[in-house]
Structure formats: structure tokens, C-alpha cells
Amino acid sequence: MQEGQITKALSGFYYITDENNTTYQTRGRGLFRLEGITPLVGDYVKFESDNLEEGTLVEIEPRKNALVRPPIANVDIGVIIASVTEPDFSTQLLDRFLVMLEYHGITPIIYISKMDKANEKEQAEIAQYKEIYEEIGYPFITLNVEEVENLKEEIKATFADYFEEKLVVFIGQSGAGKSTLLNYLNPEFSLKTAETSKSLGRGRHTTRHVELLPLLGGRFADTPGFSALKFEEIEKEELSRCFPEMWERKDECRFRGCLHQNEPNCAVKKAVEMGEIASSRYENYLQILTEIQNRKPRY
């Protein structure tokens, strides 16, 4: 029995890369389909193969996490790419991405693109947000170097420490600069970069399937860009766990299981009033909480 990781899934085939960096084309056992199990890119698996093109995927190791969109498992780090402009920076969207990553136990890194296109007001706003998110504990990377070559080297140096032996997923709105960032990190990828659609204010989809590729000592997955996130899995009592600055204050609230919404003597609401928790974060929390509370019951 051989072992490896699924690095690509396409047209019913699973491409498994072993510790020697050899990739085998396999098909899943029929039992997976009968049991409703779908192997995912990122899965650690056991397989049998006499040659590189006709193997059988036999067993999937337990996953530490799994995302639905993109369909990928065992993610360590999520790099959220948000642009200053075209599309405009949104704390609401950023916090929604952060909630998704926190819920799945994925370490977030925030990267702000297109700083060279930002005016003074926008740069000042980003500097304020940088302070807010770094205080929570999130890496918040903004690089604004005039010479492109220097920019590429600085970006590589910044990300190299995070990526070693990690599975990294890149997420963000279409047109926010995912492919551009990846081209900086490794020009050999030559990933398609799509100009942002002026009429729609968002980019055209340039990525069709999930594939893991080596990058700075780890593996990354480029994924379809999207701007809408639904939180079907998260229960209302779990949401504050996805906001670290709220979760650390949970024991200070008067009521156990406080939702930090309408309850009296709430430590989170007090921290917002005192300026210890950003009001934008709290407002985004309430918006997501309301969505969850208004969700149709599942039976």
C-alpha cells in the first residue's frame, strides 16, 4: 500500500503525489460512491498502483478540516486577498472570510493589494484597519514598493516564513489580485490575470479547478474567486468563537452563552463602547448572527 496526498482532482481522476514527489493517476474505489464519500484535493490517502496511470485510491485518512467551496481538505493557512480599490475594500467581506477560516481552524493572513492605486484617504483608512486586525492577532500585509522587482522579492520574503510545509489556500473577490500575487511569488506559474470588469465591478472567473502546486516550501491551491459567503454550518452559539477578541471575553459576560446581542451586562458590548473592540467588527458580527438566526430550520 502506498501513501500520498491528492494534489489534483479532474474528470473522475485523482492525482496523488507521494513523498518522492511522484504523481500517480488513480480512480476511487466504487465503495466511496456507495458510501457517499468524495475524495478531496488535500486529502492524505492510501492507494495501490503498478504504474503512473492506473492506480486505485483505497483509503482516505481523517481530515482536520474540509471546505465546500473550494472543495479542499487539510488546509493550514488561508491568505485573504482584498484590494484597496477595483473592487473596493470591504471590512464586511473581510470579516466574512475570517469567520469561514476561523470556523474551520485555518490560520488567516490578510493581504491588501493595489496599494499603489490608493489615494491618501484610502491609505490612511487601510493603516487604521491594519492596526485593528493586527491587535486581534492577524497578520495584515500591505506592500507598497515603487519598483516592481523589489516588490516581488519583498513579497517572497514576507510569505516564505508562513508557507513552509503548509497547505495554503488563496481566497478573495474576483479581481482582487490573487493571480497577480501568485505570479509575483513564482513567475513560472504564469497564472491568468483577469482585468476587473468595469461594468460589474468584479473580475471574470479565471480558475476552473483546484490543484495543489509547490510554493515557497509548501503547497498552495488557487481557487475560484467569489464574493458571497453563506454560513450554513455555523450555529448562533458558535459564531463568537470566530471573533477572537469577543471569544476571549465570553466569561466576563453576565449570562453564560451570551450572544452579545440584546443581553444586559455584556462584556463584548461594553468593550465596543470603550473602543476595545472595533465597532465595524461588532456590526459585522451582528449582521452574520442575524443571518444565522433567520436561517430556515434544517430537518
Side-chain angles (χ1 to χ4, degrees):
M1 194 75 71
Q2 296 146 277
E3 296 183 353
Q5 184 178 34
I6 299 177
T7 49
K8 183 168 71 169
L10 196 60
S11 304
F13 288 101
Y14 300 100
Y15 297 84
I16 301 171
T17 303
D18 67 10
E19 61 181 9
N20 299 317
N21 217 28
T22 302
T23 301
Y24 297 80
Q25 178 177 282
T26 70
R27 282 195 180 275
R29 298 168 61 195
L31 196 61
F32 290 146
R33 193 162 53 252
L34 291 173
E35 295 178 349
I37 297 170
T38 302
L40 297 176
V41 169
D43 273 332
Y44 291 99
V45 298
K46 293 181 179 177
F47 67 102
E48 296 172 339
S49 183
D50 294 328
N51 59 67
L52 298 179
E53 296 180 358
E54 297 176 340
T56 302
L57 197 170
V58 177
E59 185 180 331
I60 300 171
E61 301 289 347
R63 298 163 176 159
K64 75 172 187 177
N65 56 44
L67 302 180
V68 175
R69 183 181 180 189
I72 188 170
N74 300 312
V75 179
D76 298 302
I77 290 173
V79 180
I80 302 170
I81 291 97
S83 56
V84 181
T85 182
E86 296 179 5
D88 293 340
F89 179 76
S90 161
T91 61
Q92 185 185 91
L93 185 57
L94 174 58
D95 285 340
R96 292 173 79 86
F97 283 132
L98 286 169
V99 166
M100 181 188 75
L101 295 178
E102 288 281 3
Y103 182 74
H104 289 95
I106 299 168
T107 301
I109 296 173
I110 301 165
Y111 172 77
I112 306 299
S113 68
K114 306 185 185 179
M115 286 295 290
D116 54 311
K117 294 186 178 181
N119 58 37
E120 284 187 20
K121 182 185 175 186
E122 289 166 337
Q123 288 188 11
E125 287 175 352
I126 293 297
Q128 286 182 326
Y129 289 126
K130 180 179 174 71
E131 193 173 316
I132 289 169
Y133 286 96
E134 286 185 338
E135 190 171 325
I136 296 167
Y138 295 127
F140 194 101
I141 299 169
T142 56
L143 295 171
N144 191 9
V145 182
E146 290 182 9
E147 295 179 26
V148 174
E149 291 307 313
N150 290 346
L151 177 63
K152 289 177 182 176
E153 290 310 309
E154 190 173 343
I155 290 175
K156 277 187 186 178
T158 302
F159 281 103
D161 291 341
Y162 294 112
F163 286 6
E164 187 71 33
E165 296 185 1
K166 303 291 186 187
L167 197 166
V168 183
V169 66
F170 289 74
I171 57 177
Q173 266 181 299
S174 294
K178 291 193 299 293
S179 295
T180 302
L181 172 60
L182 288 161
N183 283 334
Y184 282 153
L185 296 175
N186 187 343
E188 291 179 14
F189 291 144
S190 297
L191 295 166
K192 295 176 184 175
T193 55
E195 287 186 12
T196 302
S197 166
K198 297 290 184 185
S199 59
L200 295 175
R202 61 179 184 267
R204 303 175 187 89
H205 292 278
T206 57
T207 312
R208 295 300 173 204
H209 68 275
V210 179
E211 181 175 358
L212 301 187
L213 296 171
L215 181 66
L216 300 178
R219 283 183 172 150
F220 90 91
D222 190 30
T223 60
F226 56 99
S227 55
L229 285 170
K230 296 181 181 178
F231 301 103
E232 301 294 336
E233 302 169 276
I234 303 177
E235 300 300 334
K236 62 185 179 184
E237 296 82 7
E238 298 176 304
L239 181 60
S240 64
R241 290 187 188 181
C242 303
F243 288 77
E245 72 274 41
M246 298 183 193
W247 185 243
E248 67 184 19
R249 290 173 165 88
K250 69 182 188 302
D251 294 332
E252 300 169 28
C253 292
R254 177 179 174 185
F255 294 104
R256 189 176 176 183
C258 181
L259 294 178
H260 321 305
Q261 192 175 28
N262 303 312
E263 301 89 338
N265 294 7
C266 170
V268 167
K269 287 193 287 186
K270 183 179 179 182
V272 175
E273 290 170 10
M274 300 286 287
E276 295 168 5
I277 290 178
S279 57
S280 61
R281 289 273 290 168
Y282 180 62
E283 287 163 14
N284 292 337
Y285 164 83
L286 288 179
Q287 184 182 50
I288 298 170
L289 180 63
T290 302
E291 278 180 41
I292 293 171
Q293 291 171 324
N294 292 339
R295 189 171 60 198
K296 290 181 181 177
R298 289 169 292 177
Y299 299 103

